[in-house]
Amino acid sequence: CGRLAARRITDDEQAELLAAHKACSQARESGSPDDYFARNEAFHQAIYRAGHNAFLEEQAVQLQRRLRPFRRLQLRIRNRVAASFAEHQAIVDAICAGEGDTAARLLRDHVIVQGERYGDLVASITQMKSTAPDRPRRKVTRQRPRGA
């Protein structure tokens, strides 16, 4: 999508992309991973639309929806929001400069890092579980049927 967007983006779409990027910046500054997640989706969808390829846009949106639960969680990994925003900045710069090959490479790296960070996510969940206080377990008693 990035390569196509760099070649095909209109002035209006460029303004939309820059506005989506600014919204990501504000969400990053707020410190809310959930807010950043929502703005991040809009940012990526602006790139999909700017590529002017309806089939590719549809496929990208479907994949984005399918990965939503993981993508939301991975933003909770330490420094991931800041790193994501920095990656976005480089992507915006490449698209706005019409550098399709650079935009494609940066977007590929941006998506691949999420897969690499999956291991970090699993490790942090495991660590959270191991340090969580034990909850008292309820004793389950089995009742005998009447007349037994």
Side-chain angles (χ1 to χ4, degrees), residues 62-136:
Q62 285 180 7
L63 183 59
Q64 186 182 48
R65 286 184 184 138
R66 181 170 286 164
L67 296 175
R68 202 175 262 160
F70 164 68
R71 291 177 60 246
R72 181 183 295 273
L73 282 176
Q74 62 95 21
L75 288 172
R76 287 172 165 40
I77 295 171
R78 190 175 57 142
N79 298 325
R80 183 61 204 138
V81 170
S84 174
F85 182 78
E87 293 161 9
H88 284 187
Q89 183 63 61
I91 291 163
V92 167
D93 292 344
I95 289 173
C96 291
E99 298 171 0
D101 290 341
T102 300
R105 179 182 51 78
L106 291 168
L107 276 161
R108 184 177 51 248
D109 292 348
H110 179 64
V111 172
I112 286 173
V113 78
Q114 292 181 27
E116 292 170 352
R117 298 296 261 172
Y118 180 75
D120 296 341
L121 175 64
V122 170
S124 54
I125 290 172
T126 302
Q127 182 180 5
M128 286 183 342
K129 284 183 178 179
S130 69
T131 59
D134 288 335
R135 287 188 269 158

Side-chain angles (χ1 to χ4, degrees), residues 4-60:
L4 293 176
R7 290 196 331 237
R8 300 176 178 175
I9 195 166
T10 66
D11 290 342
D12 287 345
E13 289 165 339
Q14 186 170 327
E16 178 186 354
L17 178 61
L18 292 170
H21 185 53
K22 183 177 181 179
C24 284
S25 175
Q26 292 166 339
R28 175 187 56 126
E29 291 168 8
S30 79
S32 168
D34 290 332
D35 191 23
Y36 186 84
F37 173 78
R39 305 301 175 252
N40 181 60
E41 282 200 341
F43 173 81
H44 283 270
Q45 289 175 7
I47 295 171
Y48 307 155
R49 282 189 298 280
H52 296 270
N53 181 319
F55 176 77
L56 191 56
E57 178 183 353
E58 178 186 340
Q59 296 302 305

